[in-house]
Amino acid sequence: MTDRMMTLAAIEQLCLRALVAAGAREDNAAAVARSTMLAERDGIRSHGLLYVPIYAEHIRCGKVDGMARPVVSQPRPGAVVVDAATGFAHPAIDAGWSGFIAAARENGVAAMTVFNSYNCGVLGHHAERIAEAGLLGLCTTHAPASIAPPGGRVPVIGTNPFALGVPDDAGGAALILDQSASVVAKSEILLRSREGRPIEPGWAIDASGAPTTDPAAALKGSMLPAGGHKGFGAGLLVEILASCLSGAALSKDASPFSGTLGGPPKTGQCFIAFDPSAFSEGFAHRVSNLVEAIAAQDGARLPGGRRQAARRRTEREGVSVDAALIERIESPYR
Amino acid sequence: MTDRMMTLAAIEQLCLRALVAAGAREDNAAAVARSTMLAERDGIRSHGLLYVPIYAEHIRCGKVDGMARPVVSQPRPGAVVVDAATGFAHPAIDAGWSGFIAAARENGVAAMTVFNSYNCGVLGHHAERIAEAGLLGLCTTHAPASIAPPGGRVPVIGTNPFALGVPDDAGGAALILDQSASVVAKSEILLRSREGRPIEPGWAIDASGAPTTDPAAALKGSMLPAGGHKGFGAGLLVEILASCLSGAALSKDASPFSGTLGGPPKTGQCFIAFDPSAFSEGFAHRVSNLVEAIAAQDGARLPGGRRQAARRRTEREGVSVDAALIERIESPYR
């Protein structure tokens, strides 16, 4: 099959139509469509259009309630709590957003937790949105278990990423960190599995605990944490915030983000926002000083640099999309 | 020289007397002495009595103001800010503590930043103290630069640990995480350097960027982050919170924690506390379920297990201390 060049707006529309056709309410579909477009914009294909047939399938099988209405409460001045009602994560996050941002400004810091939730797409985009509000954002989300504790064999936590969004003083982000606890994102292994390509050594072990480069065996075994027990520790931090604090299912008890079995995964998110001006003066200056000290070194790469480069390219040129994938997204409702 | 068995109380007294003799006010010395005792109790010798001659030297040379009075403010309901006034970190943290804990309970979440500060000892002990208040604690502290960005050679961040203190439902901690961004703590390399032992391969590179097992060459070069760019990312997260947000000096501009040169390091801390009951019910139950899923696996070790074992032993038997070290601590003021 050939590829087709699509604008970012066309990608968003393609996703929106597919999710509405699958049974999502328009506002719910719109939130997910925007996230899908942002992933394609930044070159993160694993969270882009490739995921749309899965989203649609999950609406149809009831893993996600496309008609869900999230319920927001604010039990304390700095605590915003959202019940995603087994719908998509994105509209739940949107529902709590304005209260969350206002609470961070008023209190200096606030946290928003989401439970009965689902995969929230590219975590760094939520962190970036906090940064664009002039706040420092620390975001966490967990996922069905895929990483065993060091020394063990049974996965207990997901690839559990955290993302940091650091505001500049011009309404944008000076720095975005977005990293999973595993050596690579699970979506990368799923992508290789779909494409029939082997994974790299050191990414995963099989169910017996032996090293493997077979993506299928890896998906039945355990992903390896980056930096051994320290990567596992970073994943545990995320588990405690995004699952235990939010009141979500534990990663080990959550149904998979792929396939149609197990009902809603009921995972969670925890986002924290700090107003830098509540704590000190000159925050943006210190950040740019730090960023410059990294950028000025020959060979050193700033976190997020690859996404920035993809963004500049796709905003100008659009995205080249596999025509077979477009067909797979459109065919169920044509 | 021989070793001498000391009770934990005797260790605390030994440290207290040495710091007061060096010129610290009694309350400032007491806060540091307690931290030193806790480090020895948990078997973390690098932050125990071994550090006391350095603390005393730093009081004498002015790297730390032993007479400092920390200044606490609360610019927003959830933001507690402490100027350590170039004194020890511990009394500054103590000064802000009750306001910080009360703010977390009232707002659901609160953050305390400390600037014009110094090495705060074992970070996990602060996280544990938050957990003992029934709150979930996330603590960060940064340190003079010792880790270069991946691909670069010039250190820009310190070993920058984070610690997580997770409360149980009985006034204690269900789990304590405490991990630096580097493969090993810098104190471990300093310890090997003092003892004349080589470091392990993969811990550090020398100033030219080449791998080294010589602790002296490592101290002039760069520590390696655990998990490559992901360890560096974890260290950046800590840098943004403990330095940029708090208003401390950047790690790359801070004077060393060792030696007598450069004046006060003016580093910082950022501690965050969440009241789990503000966000969900059943937090302690989910945590114990998670901990059990790790502990039940043959060969898997829970984070913090080694410290717990040391604690049980030293509380019963005391600590065996090198008599030469005791002499080095006592001799300046005898």
Side-chain angles (χ1 to χ4, degrees), chain A residues 67-263:
Chain A
M67 301 299 283
R69 293 189 190 276
V71 180
V72 180
S73 63
Q74 193 164 351
R76 309 267 174 95
V80 174
V81 171
V82 188
D83 180 351
T86 73
F88 284 110
H90 298 83
I93 291 165
D94 285 351
W97 197 263
S98 64
F100 169 48
I101 297 299
R105 292 206 177 105
E106 254 166 64
N107 295 291
V109 60
M112 173 168 71
T113 54
V114 185
F115 68 105
N116 278 333
S117 188
Y118 180 79
N119 173 4
C120 70
V122 177
L123 190 64
H125 289 146
H126 303 286
E128 184 169 6
R129 189 177 173 194
I130 298 175
E132 286 169 349
L135 306 174
L136 171 63
L138 174 57
C139 299
T140 61
T141 185
H142 74 115
S146 58
I147 302 182
R153 282 174 183 201
V154 184
V156 291
I157 61 170
T159 50
N160 289 15
F162 74 80
L164 186 74
V166 187
D168 60 21
D169 51 7
L175 185 73
I176 304 287
L177 276 177
D178 184 356
Q179 56 183 65
S180 67
S182 50
V183 176
V184 292
K186 187 165 187 184
S187 52
E188 182 64 32
I189 296 191
L190 288 165
L191 184 63
R192 298 253 180 148
S193 173
R194 276 186 223 113
E195 297 179 352
R197 288 191 294 145
I199 62 170
E200 306 298 319
W203 285 9
I205 51 179
D206 67 19
S208 75
T212 184
T213 57
D214 174 4
L219 292 169
K220 286 182 201 135
S222 169
M223 314 269 299
L224 286 170
H229 72 282
K230 295 204 175 178
F232 186 76
L236 264 184
L237 162 66
V238 169
E239 184 80 15
I240 298 287
L241 290 170
S243 166
C244 297
L245 187 68
S246 76
L250 291 173
S251 292
K252 74 183 183 64
D253 301 325
S255 71
F257 280 162
S258 55
T260 57
L261 299 177

Side-chain angles (χ1 to χ4, degrees), chain A residues 255-319:
Chain A
S255 71
F257 280 162
S258 55
T260 57
L261 299 177
K266 299 185 181 171
T267 49
Q269 286 82 33
C270 175
F271 296 175
I272 309 158
F274 306 80
D275 186 344
S277 70
F279 294 92
S280 61
E281 290 181 5
F283 174 79
H285 176 71
R286 279 185 295 282
V287 168
S288 67
N289 187 344
L290 172 64
V291 166
E292 181 51 34
I294 298 170
Q297 294 190 41
D298 266 353
R301 212 180 58 201
L302 264 181
R306 203 156 36 184
R307 291 183 183 186
Q308 287 295 333
R311 185 180 302 193
R312 283 188 297 269
R313 192 182 59 245
T314 60
E315 285 182 335
R316 206 174 49 232
E317 302 172 6
V319 178

Side-chain angles (χ1 to χ4, degrees), chain B residues 294-326:
Chain B
I294 298 171
Q297 294 190 42
D298 265 355
R301 213 180 57 201
L302 264 182
R306 201 153 44 180
R307 292 183 181 183
Q308 287 294 333
R311 186 181 300 193
R312 284 189 295 270
R313 191 181 62 245
T314 60
E315 286 181 338
R316 203 174 50 232
E317 300 172 7
V319 178
S320 168
V321 181
D322 177 4
L325 173 60
I326 300 174

Side-chain angles (χ1 to χ4, degrees), chain B residues 6 13 16 20 37 62 71 88 117-118 153 182 188 233 267 275 293 325:
Chain B
M6 293 182 73
Q13 276 303 309
L16 178 68
V20 168
M37 176 277 284
V71 179
F88 284 109
S117 187
Y118 180 80
R153 284 174 179 199
S182 51
E188 183 63 32
T267 49
D275 186 343
L325 173 60

